[in-house]
Amino acid sequence: MSRLYVVPTPVGNMEDMTMRAIRVLKEADLILAEDTRTSGNLLKHFDIKNAMLSHHKFNEHQTVAGVVERILGGQTVALISDAGTPAISDPGFLLVRECVKAGVEVQCLPGPTAFVPALVDSGLPNEKFCFEGFLPPKKGRQSRLKELAAEKRTMVFYESPYRLVKTLTQFVEFLGVERRASVTREISKMHEETVRGTLEELVAHFTETEPRGEIVICVAGAE
């Protein structure tokens, strides 16, 4: 049956790719990739030679209708992002929404995503949490931080290494110096690391030690 598969790909170690994900990608009529060069390396590693089409945040509004038509016409399409599960701070939601509207079956495979291992590694309460992804870069950023100051659940954020110290400093301003937090970087890669402490301690650490790699921040909720 034709459908859309949402296929998670490794955030680091290639061994995190599931056998089912490999099979689905090999059987798909078309693979939608956020960056065809990055995904090309992944597909080559697993000897996957199917047709690939670029699908990213800059063109997804133009490509979605055509993809839905392909699936309605009998094709099976697999969506992947550069790393992790598509639609989690990556392109994918728009396509899934339009497929659902059109009555197309959608299946998201279980698999790698960065925030789950970071949350578990943090040592912070995780029976309830809120995923914030990337904070607004400018407009609405301070308003959102003010709202989060009263959030009682553990909060999870994605951040660039270039903005990490700035973001941690803003957390100190809005959430307080003693709030517990963790920074996990390079998940599932050779130099994976989790640094835990108060927000003040994390600012000091990453001011002295330049952060590198993909980063997940976990911050304890308000008491």
Side-chain angles (χ1 to χ4, degrees):
M1 182 185 296
S2 60
R3 66 187 64 178
L4 171 69
Y5 283 104
V6 181
V7 182
T9 55
V11 296
N13 195 317
M14 288 287 194
E15 293 179 358
D16 293 338
M17 191 75 167
T18 69
M19 295 175 65
R20 184 182 176 200
I22 295 170
R23 177 183 61 78
V24 166
L25 292 178
K26 286 185 174 182
E27 293 176 353
D29 297 299
L30 177 67
I31 298 171
L32 301 179
E34 185 179 1
D35 185 325
T36 54
R37 293 168 299 180
T38 300
S39 295
N41 294 328
L42 174 78
L43 300 186
K44 182 179 180 180
H45 182 84
F46 292 105
D47 195 30
I48 299 168
K49 302 175 182 179
N50 302 45
M52 189 164 43
L53 181 68
S54 180
H55 181 85
H56 48 72
K57 65 180 180 180
F58 300 109
N59 74 354
E60 61 179 337
H61 285 84
Q62 290 76 42
T63 59
V64 162
V67 172
V68 173
E69 286 301 316
R70 282 176 180 253
I71 302 173
L72 290 173
Q75 292 191 9
T76 294
V77 174
L79 172 68
I80 59 177
S81 63
D82 288 349
T85 302
I88 303 296
S89 294
D90 274 325
F93 163 71
L94 182 62
L95 177 58
V96 170
R97 183 185 69 184
E98 294 307 307
C99 283
V100 170
K101 284 184 179 179
V104 168
E105 183 174 353
V106 178
Q107 284 192 4
C108 180
L109 276 58
T113 191
F115 76 82
V116 173
L119 175 62
V120 174
D121 282 348
S122 73
L124 299 173
N126 57 28
E127 68 276 8
K128 294 181 180 180
F129 64 93
C130 63
F131 175 69
E132 289 292 317
F134 289 96
L135 285 167
K138 293 181 181 179
K139 185 178 180 181
R141 187 180 180 93
Q142 292 198 358
S143 298
R144 186 63 188 141
L145 287 168
K146 288 179 182 177
E147 293 169 354
L148 291 173
E151 174 59 61
K152 296 185 182 299
R153 297 169 294 179
T154 297
M155 297 164 278
V156 183
F157 304 86
Y158 285 164
E159 190 51 280
S160 155
Y162 311 107
R163 293 192 301 263
L164 176 61
V165 172
K166 176 184 176 181
T167 297
L168 291 173
T169 301
Q170 288 182 316
F171 285 165
V172 167
E173 178 184 351
F174 287 93
L175 308 181
V177 295
E178 294 300 320
R179 189 75 70 96
R180 304 293 299 179
S182 72
V183 172
T184 302
R185 65 181 191 88
E186 294 289 79
I187 291 172
S188 193
K189 297 179 183 177
M190 183 179 297
H191 301 292
E192 179 175 345
E193 176 187 46
T194 296
V195 181
R196 306 170 185 86
T198 65
L199 286 172
E200 185 176 46
E201 290 169 342
L202 292 177
V203 169
H205 175 84
F206 287 106
T207 298
E208 182 178 333
T209 306
E210 181 182 0
R212 295 181 181 179
E214 302 296 322
I215 286 171
V216 184
I217 308 170
C218 297
V219 182
E223 294 182 359

